[in-house]
Amino acid sequence: MDKKGLTEKIKSHLQVLCSEIGERRVGSKENRKATDYAKKVLGEFGWRTEVTELSVIDWTTNGATLSCNDLSFEVFSAHYSLGCSAKGELLAIDTVSKLEQAEINDKIVLLYGEIAEQQIAPKKFPFWNPEEHQHLISLLEKGKPQAIITATERNAAFAGGVYPFPMFEDGDFDIPSVYMKDTEGEKLLSCAGQTVELISKAKRIPETAFNVIGRKSNETKNRIAVTAHIDTKIDTPGAIDNATGVAILLMLAEILKDYSQKYPIELVVLNGEDYYCTPGQVKYVEQNTDKFDDILLNINIDGAGYKEGFSCFSAFNLPENLAKILREILDNSPEIAEGLLWYGDHSLFLQNGCSAIAVSSQWLIENMECQEITHTPKDNLGIINYDRVAECAIGIAELIKKM
Ligand SMILES: [Zn+2]
């Protein structure tokens, strides 16, 4: 297949994922449509598929309102939070030490300023959970406020391009919460000590989602696991995060369909990278407990194909022979650069002692802390350079064939 033909096929996968399906939050029927599509395409090219069911929650809201006397404030239901209809005294808190001292029982607590600088790791997030976050959660749970309002500023490092961002995005944290802009929070400070009324029409719904894995061989020793997450955050079609990754994986299914595999290949569509407790990743780790030694290399794709700049392949823990092959691919591909190190689904392979190559866009990795695209409606088909996506698929296929 020439590059032009390949680009056309990638376009059609992306059309399905971002345009026909769109937002693919875990637990939604669109998310299940997307995994069905991946399964169908893998099957068409002769890959045997294994589908693993994940118990998850879907989440919806009909909006939130906050008022104090005749003033009203713009608030949003925090994603995956329970809803509430609360009325109580507003207590404003801006540092952890104040929270440690405050009597918050039955109050409606506004967290703003220093204490609200970061998004708090979800209680059951398995890969990263700082002690200060656990401490904050436990202060709140012990204190038992009726509800929490968080006022947050821009923080791309934690929340992608989302402003304001929900400080809590956690289906296991049961104090209802809403979020607002820092500027709105400053206005709300004038109501501290007064009675406020907070309504959030949010709802958790038990649902299912699926991981899909394609294999050709029954052999698992020395395998290459290619991974891409298929889910999106709420309210984004997730083009570079991560429909392009899935499109590349599906393209590899086609390019490698007749490849006589020296090393067994596993094409893994993971579900949950952008969901609060990463259920698909946790399940995959569980399924491979004590078996990570069998994985020769993980190739994880996330954030590929951005319109500006080149693609990048980042090397993690590569043994000499693989590093040499990667070097050859980079030398032969002017549009692929060696990338910086970053955090993603490859990290779970690294934590389990594997080598990995992470595929993304150089612009995105270099601007991770200040970009305002991922996790927002701006991450749509309009920001994709389809040639970049095709080059990544070709680069990965070449790399696998050289191994
Ligand atoms: Zn992603």
Side-chain angles (χ1 to χ4, degrees):
M1 201 184 322
D2 62 353
K3 185 172 156 190
K4 191 152 172 285
L6 212 134
T7 306
E8 283 312 308
K9 292 194 169 178
I10 280 174
K11 250 187 200 167
S12 99
H13 288 316
L14 287 169
Q15 189 66 30
V16 172
L17 291 166
C18 296
S19 195
E20 287 171 33
I21 296 176
E23 180 196 315
R24 305 176 296 282
R25 68 174 189 276
V26 168
S28 66
K29 73 170 185 304
E30 290 76 16
N31 179 280
R32 292 187 291 275
K33 265 189 204 162
T35 44
D36 279 350
Y37 178 72
K39 177 176 187 282
K40 190 190 85 179
V41 174
L42 289 169
E44 275 168 11
F45 297 111
W47 297 74
R48 201 176 67 247
T49 50
E50 176 187 303
V51 175
T52 307
E53 185 174 315
L54 312 163
S55 291
V56 298
I57 56 169
D58 191 14
W59 180 87
T60 60
T61 184
N62 281 320
T65 57
L66 173 66
S67 59
C68 175
N69 302 322
D70 49 358
L71 294 173
S72 61
F73 300 88
E74 189 181 35
V75 289
F76 311 95
S77 308
H79 299 173
Y80 303 100
S81 166
L82 292 170
C84 66
S85 177
K87 200 170 181 179
E89 184 192 330
L90 182 72
L91 188 66
I93 292 177
D94 62 347
T95 64
V96 174
S97 60
K98 284 185 195 162
L99 180 62
E100 283 165 346
Q101 259 124 66
E103 175 51 67
I104 60 175
N105 190 316
D106 220 31
K107 304 266 166 54
I108 294 178
V109 173
L110 167 65
L111 301 178
Y112 72 104
E114 187 187 301
I115 199 171
E117 270 169 5
Q118 300 186 359
Q119 189 162 52
I120 299 303
K123 287 169 70 178
K124 291 187 186 159
F125 189 66
F127 304 117
W128 177 75
N129 211 328
E131 248 169 62
E132 60 269 30
H133 290 194
Q134 295 172 38
H135 179 55
L136 183 86
I137 293 261
S138 96
L139 287 174
L140 291 165
E141 288 184 333
K142 281 185 196 133
K144 295 194 174 60
Q146 286 191 60
I148 301 167
I149 304 162
T150 66
T152 50
E153 52 184 42
R154 231 175 250 292
N155 190 336
F158 282 97
V162 179
Y163 169 65
F165 63 87
M167 185 174 158
F168 302 99
E169 185 172 328
D170 187 353
D172 296 306
F173 181 54
D174 289 340
I175 305 172
S177 87
V178 298
Y179 64 106
M180 60 174 19
K181 287 185 180 167
D182 49 352
T183 48
E184 195 76 354
E186 278 163 34
K187 289 189 226 158
L188 181 60
L189 283 177
S190 69
C191 296
Q194 302 182 50
T195 299
V196 297
E197 189 170 3
L198 175 66
I199 295 168
S200 169
K201 294 180 180 160
K203 213 167 53 195
R204 292 177 183 163
I205 307 151
E207 267 300 352
T208 53
F210 301 91
N211 275 351
V212 180
I213 301 182
R215 298 187 183 94
K216 292 259 177 186
S217 164
N218 290 322
E219 191 55 59
T220 55
K221 266 249 165 297
N222 285 327
R223 71 187 191 273
I224 304 167
V226 183
T227 51
H229 76 85
I230 198 164
D231 61 303
T232 66
K233 285 280 188 197
I234 291 170
D235 199 24
T236 170
I240 60 169
D241 185 16
N242 185 27
T244 48
V246 174
I248 291 168
L249 186 141
L250 296 179
M251 212 53 240
L252 290 170
E254 182 167 356
I255 300 172
L256 299 171
K257 69 179 193 300
D258 300 319
Y259 172 61
S260 65
Q261 304 183 352
K262 182 170 167 205
Y263 299 111
I265 297 168
E266 193 176 67
L267 299 175
V268 188
V269 176
L270 288 170
N271 214 335
E273 203 263 347
D274 277 324
Y275 184 74
Y276 67 90
C277 61
T278 61
Q281 286 74 358
V282 169
K283 179 60 84 177
Y284 185 83
V285 169
E286 231 173 76
Q287 288 170 331
N288 286 284
T289 309
D290 301 328
K291 288 188 277 190
F292 275 95
D293 284 353
D294 289 354
I295 299 172
L296 188 64
L297 175 68
N298 165 237
I299 302 173
N300 180 47
I301 317 153
D302 199 350
Y306 184 61
K307 63 181 177 184
E308 231 175 89
F310 291 150
S311 303
C312 60
F313 285 19
S314 306
F316 297 82
N317 250 343
L318 292 189
E320 194 53 47
N321 60 331
L322 287 180
K324 189 166 159 277
I325 293 171
L326 176 62
R327 176 58 35 216
E328 287 168 19
I329 298 294
L330 296 178
D331 287 346
N332 292 330
S333 322
E335 308 87 355
I336 303 175
E338 168 136 27
L340 301 170
L341 304 186
W342 53 283
Y343 185 90
D345 280 341
H346 46 281
S347 309
L348 70 90
F349 291 88
L350 301 175
Q351 285 173 353
N352 285 284
C354 304
S355 302
I357 294 173
V359 173
S360 192
S361 302
Q362 205 169 23
W363 182 92
L364 183 68
I365 298 306
E366 289 176 357
N367 291 282
M368 198 68 101
E369 312 274 296
C370 60
Q371 55 87 22
E372 294 172 8
I373 293 167
T374 57
H375 305 171
T376 81
K378 287 186 214 161
D379 184 8
N380 58 48
L381 292 179
I383 63 162
I384 290 180
N385 180 332
Y386 294 95
D387 285 333
R388 292 293 96 87
V389 186
E391 290 148 11
C392 286
I394 295 168
I396 296 169
E398 290 300 310
L399 190 135
I400 289 175
K401 287 177 184 170
K402 275 180 191 273
M403 280 174 66

